Amino acid sequence: MSAVRTPAKHFAPLAIGAPEPYRALPVRIERMIHFVPPHNEKIRSKIKDIARQVDVVLGNLEDAIPAGDKEAARQGFIQLARETDFGGTGLWVRINCLNSPWMLDDVIEIVREAGNKVDVIMLPKVEGPWDIHYLDQLLAQLEAKHAVTRPILIHAILETAEGVKNVEAIAAASPRMHGMSLGPADLSASRGMKTTRVGGGHPDYAVLSDAGAAAGAGRARAQQDLWHYTIGRMVDACLAYGLKPFYGPFGDFSDPAGCEAQFRNAFIQGCLGAWSLHPSQIDIAKRVFSPDVNEVAFAKRILEAMPDGTGAVMIDGKMQDDATWKQAKVIVDLARLVAEKDPERAEAYGFRS
Ligand code: GLV
Ligand code: MG
């Protein structure tokens, strides 16, 4: 039995009067998903400034919000959503997980009060396509009831062993899917990994050079990327279904170099952005998830040398063909999106914004 609706029904709204699902995701730059605690009045008062600096503002209602503040966080999010013009900046909310006492009211109240302002709902601890189907149906009913005109998208956090096992079915579950983020803290706990860190590497996860090769000198040891396997699976599942993959949180704010290295590994592997949990991580994400100026210049040369995208040419001694043309197009398309948001980078890329 297939877990997916027939092609004919795949894009039909799940409630009479709900908006039609998107056939292709809206094109947006989402280098960082910036987390804010919406019950904090000081943060709410600065939300316009924050929105100007980031690509996505996310009101966090789940982990890190104390149980006693859950309702204040929900109300604070509704208030900031209603009162703020976010312009081209995305507005997301991370709701509580499906088996929590808060999730149902999070969805009902947010769609009722701010359904036309919210772009994406981030759903934590997704285990399988059934979790997406439930939220999909509920959102369609609420969108119809409250005359929401654009479909609210779902972004799943990949943070349980079962979720990783089902990652492709989650990606395929609905045209409402926006993408996924890796949740390394919950995932470590779910898998029984021996780390208390939130993302990043671990000094004991390393490869030692061969015993025979060392001959007296100390053996070289290199720390490995703990998240490589999961990110690889997530990127393949997302890209196979036209969704966007993201690295999630990096919890050690005192280690900007470690954060940048983790973000960069994810970027090179195919991720489009990461979470910023601290203001210092906004610039790190901009640096990492905006393509490199020299890479953009080289990619532009490839596109110019092969106007119809076929054949083979040599540039600086390197062979280019139809496949490298596609690689170059990924980089130049991304640079154009960045340029629209960021005049300094537009200049550096040689685009007029
Ligand atoms: C994020 O939610 C994580 O668990 O890492
Ligand atoms: Mg988590």
Side-chain angles (χ1 to χ4, degrees):
M1 195 194 74
S2 162
V4 184
R5 304 171 86 208
T6 62
K9 289 191 188 144
H10 191 67
F11 290 103
L14 292 178
I16 297 165
E20 289 226 358
Y22 291 118
R23 298 209 169 219
L25 287 176
V27 176
R28 304 191 77 149
I29 181 82
E30 293 162 336
R31 292 167 296 181
M32 78 299 295
I33 301 162
H34 187 65
F35 274 52
V36 297
H39 57 300
N40 181 321
E41 211 182 312
K42 204 166 139 220
I43 295 276
R44 280 206 309 277
S45 71
K46 292 195 293 196
I47 205 71
K48 257 199 142 118
D49 287 340
I50 296 173
R52 260 194 292 274
Q53 293 164 38
V54 301
D55 297 341
V56 174
V57 171
L58 176 142
N60 178 29
L61 310 187
E62 200 226 11
D63 293 356
I65 305 300
D69 289 331
K70 291 287 188 188
E71 290 186 15
R74 185 194 301 142
Q75 293 317 319
F77 175 75
I78 289 169
Q79 188 187 332
L80 70 81
R82 290 172 70 106
E83 289 176 358
T84 315
D85 178 1
F86 285 89
T89 301
L91 178 63
W92 296 23
V93 60
R94 178 168 80 164
I95 59 172
N96 288 285
C97 61
L98 284 155
N99 61 2
S100 74
W102 305 289
M103 183 271 180
L104 185 61
D105 289 338
D106 286 347
V107 182
I108 289 175
E109 292 181 27
I110 287 169
V111 180
R112 185 183 68 215
E113 302 299 329
N116 276 310
K117 295 296 284 282
V118 176
D119 296 296
V120 176
I121 288 183
M122 180 183 273
L123 183 64
K125 302 179 177 69
V126 173
E127 306 258 49
W130 49 88
D131 291 341
I132 306 298
H133 295 156
Y134 170 76
L135 181 56
D136 195 9
Q137 185 77 62
L138 179 61
L139 281 173
Q141 291 170 327
L142 292 168
E143 286 167 346
K145 183 167 177 180
H146 301 298
V148 174
T149 53
R150 312 168 293 161
I152 298 170
L153 296 173
I154 300 174
H155 182 99
I157 312 182
L158 195 61
E159 54 182 351
T160 66
E162 192 175 357
V164 176
K165 173 176 157 285
N166 292 322
V167 64
E168 284 166 28
I170 293 168
S174 163
R176 204 187 275 283
M177 283 297 293
H178 164 278
M180 289 181 211
S181 288
L182 173 75
D186 272 299
L187 184 56
S188 308
S190 167
R191 281 179 173 160
M193 290 168 71
K194 311 304 178 292
T195 173
T196 53
R197 298 171 180 220
V198 177
H202 191 289
D204 293 339
Y205 190 71
V207 171
L208 207 54
S209 66
D210 187 68
R219 287 168 71 177
R221 207 171 169 282
Q223 193 174 308
Q224 307 293 297
D225 183 352
L226 265 181
W227 308 107
H228 181 263
Y229 158 79
T230 316
I231 291 177
R233 288 207 58 191
M234 179 179 74
V235 167
D236 279 347
C238 283
L239 273 293
Y241 289 95
L243 313 184
K244 298 180 172 184
F246 291 72
Y247 176 77
F250 188 90
D252 185 352
F253 305 151
S254 69
D255 182 13
C259 177
E260 181 153 348
Q262 180 69 76
F263 284 9
R264 199 171 298 283
N265 284 355
F267 174 66
I268 304 283
Q269 252 190 295
C271 291
L272 294 171
W275 302 0
S276 49
L277 301 184
H278 186 270
S280 64
Q281 295 181 334
I282 296 171
D283 276 343
I284 298 177
K286 281 189 185 165
R287 218 164 31 244
V288 171
F289 294 102
S290 307
D292 178 78
V293 171
N294 295 327
E295 281 272 89
V296 175
F298 191 68
K300 282 164 90 179
R301 285 174 66 199
I302 297 174
L303 298 188
E304 277 154 23
M306 298 171 62
D308 70 354
T310 69
V313 297
M314 296 298 288
I315 301 181
D316 298 346
K318 300 186 188 82
M319 191 273 306
Q320 313 298 330
D321 67 1
D322 306 43
T324 56
W325 185 90
K326 288 179 199 147
Q327 289 175 296
K329 191 154 181 325
V330 167
I331 303 224
V332 173
D333 286 351
L334 183 59
R336 279 191 202 287
L337 277 181
V338 170
E340 279 170 26
K341 174 106 195 176
D342 189 332
E344 262 170 46
R345 282 191 172 79
E347 182 91 359
Y349 293 148
F351 295 134
R352 294 274 74 84
S353 56

